[in-house]
Amino acid sequence: MNWPTAIVHVDMDTFFVSVERLHDRSLIGKPVIVGGGQDGDLRRGVVAACSYESRAFGVHSAMPLAQAMRLCPEAVIVPVGRSNYGEYTSRVRTILESFTDLVEMASPDEAYLDLRGTDLLHGEPIGAAHHIRSRIAAQTGLPVSIGLATTRTQAKIASKLSKPSGLFVVAPGGEAAIVRPLSISALPGLGPKTAKRLNGANIRTLGQLIDAGEERLVRLLGDHGASYYRRAIGKGSAQVTPSRERLQISTEATFGDDIGERELIHGKLARMTMKLGSQLRKREQWAGTLTLKIRYPDFTTLTRREGIEPRTNDDTILYRRARDFFDRVWDGATPLRLLGVGVANMGDAVQGDMFEDEDGRKRERLLQTLDSIGSAKGNARLIWGSALEAKNPPAAPPEME
Amino acid sequence: MKATFSRQTLLSGIGLTQNIVSTSSTLPILSNLLFEADSSGVNLISTDLEGFAKVRLEATVAEAGRVTAPAKTLADIVRSLPDDEVALTTSGTRMTLTCNRNVFHLSTMTADDFPEWPKSESGVTITIEQSDLRRLLRNTLFAMPGRDPRKVLMGALVEVSADRLTIVATDGRKLGKASTEPTEFKGEGEKSVIIPGRVLTEIEKSLGDQGEVKLEISDQRAVFNLDNLKLTYLTSLIEGKFPQYQSVIPETFTRELQLPTALVDDAITRAAILAERKHHSIILSFGSGMIGVRAQSFEDGSYEGEVGIDYDGEPFKLAFNYNYLHDVFRVAPDATITMMVKESTAPVVFVCASDANSLYLVMPVRMHDLQGEEAEPAGVGAGDHA
């Protein structure tokens, strides 16, 4: 079979749940919901992941936990963050990168691969996709669904069709035929509002969407219409951007009880920036921008960004900058419902300074040691003194945007 | 005050002083030049409070006096005049400049408000050739930062002893060091001071091939006398501790190469076009008989070039900000420059055979691409041929 482009979409099935099940076999076969807010508070949490058993009750991710518990009272609730999901994400990533450098981690449990140039080592795309699936299963014990197609959109649709734990191939030229019977909401990125508008125009399946034609879709939906049309017929993007170039790493936490004590918030910032620094060092990148997000109880949300010169991946510098930045942005009185911090504008090179103080060099060696201990012990919790103020780590693992 | 100058004399005098002014609005008189006419000539003086410049101009003085007028306006006026005699007269608060059939009237400010020339202090005095000082400044000032919160780096370290004058400037990424032997030394002991870069840049421009410079250094200030030009610069010193530059100059090296200055600089110019805009980095790969020069911009594209060199050692790679290499190659006096490398995280040393008393350091860029390729204990990344 001749593949002009071969894009693989890797989707870890109920990722957080699967990881928790590796650690606690008793969860297998039961409805499981992973979720919760900061400090294990379930009142404000949302569903981060849910098993297929709980989905049967109508539970889905991003649903408020309270609602999920009403829908599925027998579900076992596992607080998010009990296991180190990041560890599994990076294991999966390492496996994927053994196939090709062109791996884009779209989220902690989702990745795109461009298989170009892998035929000599791994054979035909279909064979390679099989290998990817079996290697992830064998080496991590996690179930994974794989979609193979000529574009990103079709690959993602394919992985969904393959669930659970399957492989689905959309052969070149077969794109339109495969998607025709599917509901329009199967098209990634087509949200409920657009679906409603299309339904109003009597377009319910992707077949109807394709038949409507580009011109009519543009009339209905503006420029997006053209994009939906192109992606549905298999003319969408096949661009895979290796994650090295990803634009931002951020982490945020919603607090069980709003917090308004500056020192406590600084402690949280310390933990978050440690996490960011360690991620940057793992990637051998240096960040040039710091982002800050705070949300007050009335849901007023402030997001700010500022430059860091020279670029850094040093926890201490990131923390000091984040703390000072926070102190300038926060009104100093209103408690916080949510706190987030991130880094962006990454560079893969940094100009050395010959007079960089001896402290800086010592700290760099120390950080390297901490990083290696951290990865050797898996979930090791080595933290700076300032971070001890905050009792619990941020709820959500770093998100990729 | 009534004085007559040749246009050329006045123009060069203004040129030597007009950059030591301050345009801050708090003290408007600092943007003016002070004319001090006595029976035998005219002193032209400027200051920004940190530095002072004074040049003695030949003039026919009919009436002594003192007056100040805006430096920039004066420069514009005199530059515009035909090459003839310029008569300068004052009456009340006005200055009149007459040249040929052109008359300018200018508002002035009273000379009484102009800062006084600081009194001399005792210290050490050295005498060196102007051409020597010019070489020292050329080989060092390039390394000074344009702006830096570390005030001490905004000047050059000047170390004086009976048999040595050493100047060092650095921004932490690059460094220039140059020294010479003074022709004369008066005073006792050694002096180590930081002289503001702004004044040094002006001095560098004024230095010629002929004549000597007398440099007096006290605890508070430095004075440069260029006797043949009847020119004096005085500057206060930058307080603080200059970085321990000796400790960052490597003493042992794992690699030493001769580079053809112009050819490598040209390749760097080409690579710079497509260097990553975030960090201006280019990669030099040293292999058998050649240097590969490579740049890659994530957004724009890439460049690869080669320059033949006489090298048969172990291959290795280094990344640099191309601006810093340009800076060094621009001031290097020889067609061949020697590059000495200790390891990829240490400053790289450049020297020229014709000037054993100067050296340049450039700190490499730490780059993801190069890491993981470090194969040897020396810490220099191994190249493709390893």
Side-chain angles (χ1 to χ4, degrees):
Chain A
M1 198 181 300
N2 182 28
W3 289 82
T5 51
I7 306 299
V8 167
H9 183 248
V10 175
D11 196 354
M12 307 303 295
D13 297 333
T14 64
F15 180 53
F16 294 174
V17 173
S18 302
V19 172
E20 296 296 350
R21 281 175 170 168
L22 285 180
H23 290 250
D24 181 354
R25 314 291 295 174
S26 75
L27 296 174
I28 296 171
K30 290 183 188 156
V32 178
I33 294 173
V34 178
Q38 175 82 357
D39 306 330
D41 185 343
L42 301 182
R43 284 172 293 156
R44 298 192 188 182
V46 293
V47 175
C50 49
S51 69
Y52 289 110
E53 293 81 357
S54 57
R55 286 181 197 191
F57 292 85
V59 177
H60 57 79
S61 50
M63 174 184 278
L65 254 188
Q67 187 187 348
M69 286 155 81
R70 277 197 302 277
L71 286 171
C72 183
E74 58 266 53
V76 183
I77 312 287
V78 179
V80 76
R82 200 169 73 173
S83 301
N84 186 350
Y85 312 120
E87 168 73 21
Y88 287 90
T89 298
S90 62
R91 278 202 218 170
V92 169
R93 180 178 170 164
T94 307
I95 294 168
L96 297 178
E97 286 178 344
S98 70
F99 283 85
T100 174
D101 286 341
L102 296 174
V103 176
E104 175 181 333
M105 296 301 295
S107 75
D109 59 355
E110 220 185 321
Y112 290 93
L113 282 75
D114 181 341
L115 291 183
R116 80 172 73 159
T118 63
D119 49 333
L120 286 177
L121 266 174
H122 304 290
E124 283 270 303
I126 296 178
H130 267 295
H131 283 304
I132 291 170
R133 188 172 147 268
S134 55
R135 205 178 288 178
I136 290 173
Q139 295 185 7
T140 66
L142 295 170
V144 57
S145 299
I146 305 267
L148 168 64
T150 55
T151 69
R152 289 171 71 101
T153 297
Q154 308 286 334
K156 182 155 179 157
I157 291 173
S159 72
K160 193 142 202 174
L161 291 173
S162 81
K163 277 182 185 290
S165 316
L167 165 65
F168 196 101
V169 179
V170 181
E175 292 86 358
I178 295 280
V179 303
R180 284 193 73 90
L182 303 178
S183 151
I184 47 173
S185 53
L187 194 68
L190 196 154
K193 274 187 190 164
T194 309
K196 208 169 164 189
R197 193 176 298 173
L198 288 169
N199 286 343
N202 219 8
I203 297 171
R204 292 168 203 284
T205 65
L206 287 173
Q208 288 167 332
L209 182 137
I210 292 169
D211 293 340
E214 187 170 351
E215 213 172 294
R216 181 159 173 233
L217 291 170
V218 171
R219 269 203 311 277
L220 275 170
L221 306 170
D223 288 347
H224 292 300
S227 154
Y228 293 132
Y229 177 77
R230 293 183 59 76
R231 290 197 292 122
I233 61 170
K235 301 279 186 209
S237 165
Q239 173 78 37
V240 170
T241 307
S243 302
R244 283 210 58 76
E245 279 96 30
R246 82 182 193 204
L247 300 173
Q248 183 166 1
I249 312 174
S250 62
T251 175
E252 63 180 48
T254 305
F255 303 121
D257 296 303
D258 301 331
I259 60 173
E261 294 138 89
R262 193 180 296 271
E263 287 195 353
L264 201 57
I265 299 170
H266 285 174
K268 306 262 181 206
L269 280 174
R271 277 199 176 252
M272 291 175 162
T273 46
M274 274 177 59
K275 201 164 199 165
L276 297 174
S278 130
Q279 292 235 335
L280 285 168
R281 290 190 298 279
K282 199 180 275 177
R283 307 165 60 80
E284 287 173 343
Q285 289 191 321
W286 291 266
T289 299
L290 193 64
T291 62
L292 183 73
K293 179 173 171 185
I294 62 180
R295 179 172 294 152
Y296 294 123
D298 67 356
F299 278 83
T300 309
T301 306
L302 306 175
T303 55
R304 300 280 185 274
R305 54 197 289 132
E306 71 171 15
I308 316 172
E309 168 63 35
R311 283 192 170 76
T312 189
N313 57 20
D314 180 329
D315 296 356
T316 313
I317 295 171
L318 287 172
Y319 168 60
R320 280 189 205 138
R321 293 294 304 258
R323 185 192 57 195
D324 296 350
F325 195 18
F326 171 80
D327 286 347
R328 273 179 278 130
V329 171
W330 187 39
D331 64 15
T334 317
L336 303 186
R337 178 189 163 82
L338 174 147
L339 176 67
V341 60
V343 286
N345 186 15
M346 261 75 94
D348 56 5
V350 70
Q351 173 66 53
D353 187 309
M354 45 189 119
F355 304 115
E356 181 190 296
D357 55 357
E358 187 56 19
D359 280 0
R361 262 173 245 179
K362 274 187 198 151
R363 209 162 52 226
E364 191 180 326
R365 284 193 291 274
L366 176 63
L367 287 171
Q368 279 165 1
T369 312
L370 287 178
D371 287 347
S372 63
I373 295 171
S375 55
K377 295 181 81 173
N379 207 1
R381 292 273 179 234
L382 283 168
I383 53 178
W384 299 107
S386 49
L388 283 169
E389 303 284 339
K391 281 190 308 223
N392 286 288
E399 291 292 336
M400 306 176 200
E401 291 176 19
Chain B
M1 172 180 158
K2 273 184 192 162
T4 310
F5 311 79
S6 82
R7 177 213 176 232
Q8 197 49 50
T9 303
L10 191 54
L11 189 61
S12 75
I14 292 170
L16 290 168
T17 50
Q18 74 174 112
N19 288 328
I20 312 282
V21 297
S22 166
T23 47
S24 87
S25 54
T26 42
L27 274 174
I29 198 156
L30 297 185
S31 59
N32 283 10
L33 297 181
L34 169 67
F35 291 82
E36 277 183 338
D38 54 47
S39 56
S40 60
V42 175
N43 288 333
L44 192 56
I45 299 171
S46 64
T47 181
D48 60 4
L49 288 185
E50 182 183 64
F52 286 78
K54 172 160 71 181
V55 59
R56 178 75 174 174
L57 303 181
E58 267 181 39
T60 313
V61 178
E63 187 185 315
R66 300 170 79 227
V67 69
T68 80
K72 174 152 195 322
T73 314
L74 280 169
D76 290 345
I77 289 172
V78 178
R79 209 176 296 122
S80 77
L81 292 175
D83 213 356
D84 210 331
E85 294 222 312
V86 182
L88 187 158
T89 59
T90 56
S91 113
T93 59
R94 291 182 110 193
M95 174 189 277
T96 304
L97 285 148
T98 313
C99 177
N100 226 317
R101 283 190 270 177
N102 305 289
V103 182
F104 286 91
H105 296 292
L106 258 182
S107 301
T108 64
M109 290 172 80
T110 169
D112 298 340
D113 293 341
F114 201 83
E116 263 186 56
W117 188 270
K119 291 197 175 64
S120 65
E121 291 179 346
S122 62
V124 299
T125 304
I126 62 161
T127 308
I128 49 168
E129 299 290 335
Q130 285 195 22
S131 56
D132 248 3
L133 182 60
R134 193 173 57 183
R135 179 176 56 81
L136 263 55
L137 293 176
R138 175 182 165 82
N139 283 340
T140 52
L141 294 186
F142 76 89
M144 211 158 44
R147 231 180 15 172
D148 201 296
R150 295 168 289 186
K151 284 273 173 279
V152 291
L153 298 187
M154 296 303 291
L157 179 73
V158 176
E159 296 176 314
V160 183
S161 67
D163 56 358
R164 210 83 213 139
L165 165 66
T166 303
I167 300 185
V168 181
T170 181
D171 62 359
R173 288 128 184 236
K174 56 193 184 292
L175 177 148
K177 171 182 177 249
S179 65
T180 189
E181 204 175 316
T183 51
E184 202 185 328
F185 179 87
K186 278 188 211 152
E188 285 192 12
E190 301 178 352
K191 277 264 179 230
S192 177
V193 297
I194 306 169
I195 299 183
R198 197 164 160 211
V199 168
L200 292 176
T201 308
E202 284 309 302
I203 292 170
E204 187 193 2
K205 283 191 266 178
S206 316
L207 293 165
D209 296 326
Q210 307 293 319
E212 294 184 322
V213 188
K214 215 189 302 161
L215 168 57
E216 302 164 27
I217 298 175
S218 65
D219 291 339
Q220 302 290 320
R221 52 186 74 113
V223 183
F224 293 80
N225 279 301
L226 288 69
D227 285 345
N228 65 335
L229 300 173
K230 294 181 180 148
L231 176 63
T232 306
Y233 288 105
L234 178 150
T235 175
S236 46
L237 303 172
I238 296 178
E239 284 179 25
K241 199 161 169 280
F242 200 79
Q244 292 288 332
Y245 75 90
Q246 296 96 334
S247 65
V248 302
I249 302 176
E251 286 168 353
T252 54
F253 302 97
T254 57
R255 310 270 191 280
E256 184 172 328
L257 306 88
Q258 309 294 323
L259 310 182
T261 316
L263 289 178
V264 175
D265 199 37
D266 286 349
I268 292 169
T269 304
R270 292 180 196 113
I273 298 167
L274 290 174
E276 177 59 48
R277 277 178 260 162
K278 277 183 184 168
H279 43 67
H280 309 290
S281 298
I282 59 158
I283 297 169
L284 302 184
S285 329
F286 300 86
S288 185
M290 64 101 205
I291 316 175
V293 181
R294 186 155 62 86
Q296 183 159 23
S297 157
F298 181 61
E299 284 154 19
D300 302 331
S302 65
Y303 163 82
E304 278 174 51
E306 281 184 9
V307 177
I309 55 165
D310 186 13
Y311 178 68
D312 58 2
E314 285 288 301
F316 68 101
K317 292 181 183 181
L318 287 172
F320 289 103
N321 180 323
Y322 61 80
N323 289 308
Y324 305 155
L325 291 182
H326 271 319
D327 288 339
V328 167
F329 285 50
R330 191 170 45 79
V331 298
D334 294 1
T336 301
I337 190 166
T338 305
M339 172 174 147
M340 299 187 286
V341 183
K342 183 183 182 194
E343 56 188 3
S344 62
T345 53
V348 173
V349 179
F350 294 91
V351 290
C352 280
S354 74
D355 183 2
N357 292 318
S358 297
L359 69 78
Y360 319 101
L361 298 187
V362 179
M363 193 67 183
V365 166
R366 291 165 54 198
M367 188 180 265
H368 170 76
D369 276 7
L370 296 179
Q371 295 175 9
E373 296 179 24
E374 299 199 4
E376 295 134 78
V380 171
D384 300 323
H385 307 276

